[in-house]
Structures are given as C-alpha cells and as structure tokens.
C-alpha cells in the first residue's frame, strides 16, 4: 500500500514539474478570441535562429513575413522572380497549421524603381503600370493560392491628414490603383482574405479616410475583407479610446479588424535625432538610448501594465478582432532597435533576446484569463 502511494505521489509531482517547464501559450489562452501572430524574418526562415523558431511554434498560430514577400524581395528585376524564401516561409505555416498572412502586394516602399520605368528610363504609362501590377499580383498571390490565407493587398496608402498618399502608384495610375489592386488580388486568390493595412489608424482623419476607402470599394462590389491596424505604439500612446473608435468604425462596415504590427517602444522619442550617429556622441547616446545593458525592473512593470491594458481591450473586442500580430518574435529581432535611429536597444515585445518570457508576457496571459 505504502509503495502504491509513493508511486502515485511521484507521478503527480512529475506532472506538476512538466507543467512548470512548458510555458502556457498565447495561442491557447486566446484560442477562442483571435489568432495570435508574429512576423518571421529571413534568418528564422532559413533555420539560423532555432530558438526563435521553436518559440514561434510554441506560442503563435499565425505568421506574417517581415520582408520576404515584399515586391523587392519576390520580384527584384523585371525578369527575375525569387520565390525561394517566400516558399519556405509558406511551408513553415503549413507544417504548423498556422494562419498564414501575405505581406504585402502593393506598397510605395520596398518596391524597385524599375517598376515605374520603361527601358529608356522614362515613366511608364497607366496601362503599362496596371499590366505590371496585375502580373505581379497574379504571380505572387496566385502562387500561394490555398497557402496564404490573407493578403495585405495595399499597404499605407493614406496620409495622416486623411488624403491619399502621393505615390508613384497613384501618380501614374490614378486614385483607382487601390481598387484595381483589390480586383486583381480577388481574381488571383479568390479564397484568401483581402486587407488594407496602415499605421496611425487611431487618428481621427486617417480612421475616417480608411473607412471611406473601404466603403467605396464595397459600393463598387470590390471585395475587401478586413482592415489591419498597425500597432507600432508606445507606453502611453495611443489612448485606448481612440483604438476602440477605429475597431468600431471598421467593424461596423462588416470588416474583420486586425492589430497587425504590434510592438511597444520603451525608449524616448528620437525623431529629432533621426540620421544622427549615436555611436559618435556620448551624451546623445545616453539620452536617447538609456537601457543598452538591460531593462530596469520599473520599466518592465510599465511595459507589462501597458500590454495588459491593451490585451484587456483586445479581449473585450474579441468578436470584432480576428488577429493580433506582433512585429517580431523577440526583442533582439525587432526593427525598433534601428528605427527611427540606428543602433539603439529597445524592448518592445513579450520575449527577451534569449527568447525567454518577460513580465509583459505574464501580463498578457493574465489579461486573457
Ligand atoms: C511598416 C510595414 C512593415 C515593416 C514595418 C517596419 O509598418 O508595413 O512591412 O516594414 O513598417 O519594419
């Protein structure tokens, strides 16, 4: 009898020990609410960051490619397509049964100059640019039919003041370039969800313009399924009430709403020092890069509090939000270390540079429970 008890006790303790070792996962905690995603970068795609990739598998059920599906990556020269990294990215999603996002078909950045030019250097006509747009969308979205479940069709087409951004796309084709991109994407990948994605969507004028853009597409019978609100935010900005207004505005149009590029900088604003070489300037370096050797406990607490506040808001809106995607897996691979000033040390995500959970991770789990 005593032996039987000892065996039972050992088995129960083992169970608890195993539970302690494996981290509760974000994707499980929010499984009834929304997908939880992260971006994957080239080194993760090529297996050079195995720790980050196992974290990705353990914690997330959706992925977005950081760069490998952008035009310059997929289609760098007129006659050159390079699908290898994007194919590998899509396979990671398929192998792990993830919701795979394609990012992005039409954008003014990371699109090579040749796209807008004839062989003699002159600007292409509207017809020629539409032809190139259609071909690119058909090749990219068409290739990943059934493998990419949602595409950011157009990225960042609206200015903060609500006007359409003056890009080469708009200049050459006209305002209807957006409608055309959605039409082509629908033809090329009819089962994929189609999104418009932008930053600063919490701002009134931009929110209104994005909603109007979507309404216009809908009124013409052009399919748009969702709007992505990029979440490159900070410790106190933007206010929750403004985020809520944007979620409501887009969801009232019958669209899915996603928080697509979530990361919260903990560093002081450095806009006025853009382009500064901080390695050469000791005082400036300390002022705008205050935590080069680790984040102090009080800052961890601030970040955790802010993440919790946001995830409480997201959970309350789970009927309207279909996905929350972090822009990066861990702090070490975040673009915020290099923007808007190169070479700083930021801590915007839930996992540290060793892929270990930060207090912010626990705070997000708590918000989910
Ligand atoms: C924008 C784009 C992303 C990425 C980030 C910064 O938000 O949508 O693809 O380039 O900027 O990394």
């Amino acid at each position: 009898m005593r032996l039987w008890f000892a065996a039972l006790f050992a088995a129960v303790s083992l169970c608890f020990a195993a539970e302690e070792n494996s981290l509760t996962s974000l994707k499980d905690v929010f499984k009834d609410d929304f997908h939880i995603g992260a971006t994957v970068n080239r080194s993760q795609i090529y297996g050079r960051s195995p720790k980050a990739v196992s974290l990705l598998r353990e914690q997330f059920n959706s992925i977005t490619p950081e760069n490998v599906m952008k035009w310059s990556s997929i289609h760098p020269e007129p006659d050159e397509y390079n699908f290898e990294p994007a194919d590998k990215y899509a396979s990671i999603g398929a192998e792990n049964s993830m919701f795979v996002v394609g990012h992005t078909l039409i954008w003014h950045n990371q699109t090579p100059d040749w796209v807008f030019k004839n062989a003699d250097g002159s600007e292409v006509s509207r017809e020629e640019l539409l032809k190139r747009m259609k071909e690119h969308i058909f090749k990219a979205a068409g290739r990943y039919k059934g493998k990419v479940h949602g595409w950011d069709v157009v990225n960042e087409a609206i200015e903060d003041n609500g006007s359409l951004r003056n890009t080469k796309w708009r200049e050459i084709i006209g305002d209807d370039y957006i409608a055309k991109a959605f039409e082509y994407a629908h033809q090329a990948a009819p089962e994929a969800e189609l999104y418009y994605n932008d930053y600063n969507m919490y701002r009134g004028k931009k929110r209104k313009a994005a909603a109007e853009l979507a309404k216009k597409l809908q009124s013409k019978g052009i399919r748009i399924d969702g709007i992505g609100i990029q979440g490159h935010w900070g410790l106190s900005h933007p206010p929750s009430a403004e985020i809520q207004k944007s979620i409501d505005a887009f969801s009232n149009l019958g669209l899915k709403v996603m928080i697509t590029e979530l990361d919260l900088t903990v560093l002081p604003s450095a806009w006025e020092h853009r382009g500064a070489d901080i390695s050469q300037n000791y005082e400036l370096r300390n002022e705008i890069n205050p935590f080069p050797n680790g984040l102090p406990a009080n800052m961890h607490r601030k970040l955790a509090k802010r993440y919790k506040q946001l995830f409480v808001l997201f959970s309350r809106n789970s009927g309207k939000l279909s996905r929350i995607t972090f822009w990066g897996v861990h702090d070490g691979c975040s673009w915020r270390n290099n923007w808007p000033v190169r070479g700083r040390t930021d801590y915007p995500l839930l996992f540290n540079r060793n892929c270990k959970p930060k207090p912010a991770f626990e705070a997000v789990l708590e918000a989910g429970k």
Side-chain angles (χ1 to χ4, degrees):
M1 190 68 171
R2 225 190 259 157
L3 226 122
W4 187 84
F5 261 125
L8 184 68
F9 182 73
V12 171
S13 327
L14 255 176
C15 256
F16 276 116
E19 240 178 44
E20 255 172 37
N21 282 335
S22 76
L23 224 46
T24 312
S25 79
L26 296 166
K27 64 179 177 189
D28 287 345
V29 169
F30 293 101
K31 69 176 186 313
D32 298 327
D33 300 323
F34 27 67
H35 281 115
I36 293 279
T39 41
V40 191
N41 66 24
R42 192 176 281 261
S43 105
Q44 290 152 0
I45 289 170
Y46 279 93
R48 292 193 289 268
S49 318
K51 258 201 222 169
V53 175
S54 31
L55 188 60
L56 189 74
R57 287 206 187 96
E58 178 188 282
Q59 292 291 327
F60 302 93
N61 53 17
S62 171
I63 48 175
T64 297
E66 187 165 3
N67 285 306
V68 301
M69 280 187 171
K70 289 175 180 168
W71 193 308
S72 52
S73 193
I74 278 190
H75 194 178
E77 298 292 336
D79 300 322
E80 186 190 330
Y81 279 89
N82 171 22
F83 282 113
E84 192 197 88
D87 286 354
K88 285 190 188 297
Y89 159 80
S91 317
I92 296 179
E95 282 155 18
N96 295 287
S97 312
M98 290 166 156
F99 184 91
V100 179
V101 179
H103 173 85
T104 174
L105 293 170
I106 299 298
W107 192 24
H108 60 283
N109 269 330
Q110 292 179 262
T111 303
D113 285 347
W114 67 259
V115 175
F116 308 103
K117 290 193 175 141
N118 293 307
D120 65 4
S122 60
E123 203 159 78
V124 290
S125 63
R126 166 181 160 95
E127 287 63 41
E128 177 61 21
L129 191 53
L130 280 172
K131 196 174 132 224
R132 292 182 184 188
M133 175 195 265
K134 183 172 184 180
E135 187 193 303
H136 177 79
I137 292 180
F138 269 68
K139 283 245 165 129
R143 183 180 184 93
Y144 299 106
K145 224 190 240 189
K147 295 180 182 160
V148 162
H149 307 110
W151 274 101
D152 288 337
V153 178
V154 176
N155 200 34
E156 303 179 347
I158 301 172
E159 297 278 12
D160 287 356
N161 67 11
S163 64
L164 277 189
R165 187 189 289 277
N166 265 331
T167 63
K168 282 280 162 209
W169 293 111
R170 182 176 179 221
E171 218 177 287
I172 299 172
I173 297 176
D175 292 358
D176 65 339
Y177 85 91
I178 300 174
K180 290 287 179 198
F182 275 89
E183 267 175 22
Y184 297 151
H186 170 63
Q187 292 163 9
E191 338 65 9
E193 292 182 353
L194 307 181
Y195 315 128
Y196 175 72
N197 185 54
D198 211 331
Y199 62 86
N200 283 353
M201 296 283 250
Y202 61 87
R203 294 197 179 178
K205 288 183 180 160
K206 199 151 179 175
R207 169 196 308 134
K208 193 161 165 258
E212 267 160 19
L213 172 74
K215 249 194 267 174
K216 212 161 156 192
L217 294 176
Q218 289 172 327
S219 72
K220 287 187 179 147
I222 298 171
R223 183 163 68 86
I224 171 170
D225 301 295
I227 294 194
I229 299 176
Q230 297 183 14
H232 301 298
W233 297 330
L235 287 178
S236 54
H237 190 77
S240 300
E242 297 306 311
I243 302 174
Q244 183 67 57
K245 282 187 205 160
S246 300
I247 296 174
D248 292 341
F250 303 148
S251 141
N252 286 342
L253 296 173
L255 299 170
K256 292 190 173 183
V257 186
M258 292 138 283
I259 307 296
T260 50
E261 304 189 12
L262 185 58
D263 53 21
L264 306 178
T265 183
V266 301
L267 299 181
S269 168
W271 276 100
E272 63 276 29
H273 305 300
R274 271 203 315 165
D277 182 355
I278 58 166
S279 61
Q280 300 298 313
N281 185 331
Y282 183 77
E283 267 170 29
L284 183 59
R285 191 172 64 215
N286 286 346
E287 189 190 321
I288 65 173
N289 188 30
F291 314 118
N293 304 315
L295 195 64
N298 70 321
M299 292 303 294
H300 268 299
R301 279 196 295 275
K302 278 191 191 166
L303 182 69
K305 192 169 159 213
R306 172 70 165 152
Y307 261 118
K308 183 161 180 187
Q309 177 198 48
L310 286 174
F311 270 82
V312 166
L313 172 79
F314 299 158
S315 299
R316 276 200 210 119
N317 285 282
S318 61
K320 300 175 182 171
L321 291 171
S322 61
R323 171 167 53 89
I324 312 292
T325 289
F326 290 85
W327 202 252
V329 180
H330 63 84
D331 288 343
C333 61
S334 168
W335 73 302
R336 302 214 66 157
N337 295 304
N338 290 303
W339 187 88
V341 170
R342 290 196 71 78
R344 297 200 293 173
T345 308
D346 206 345
Y347 303 83
L349 299 166
L350 303 185
F351 299 93
N352 70 19
R353 287 167 166 74
N354 264 328
C355 293
K356 294 279 183 259
K358 294 156 59 178
F361 169 77
E362 301 299 336
V364 166
L365 291 185
E366 261 172 48
K369 287 171 191 160

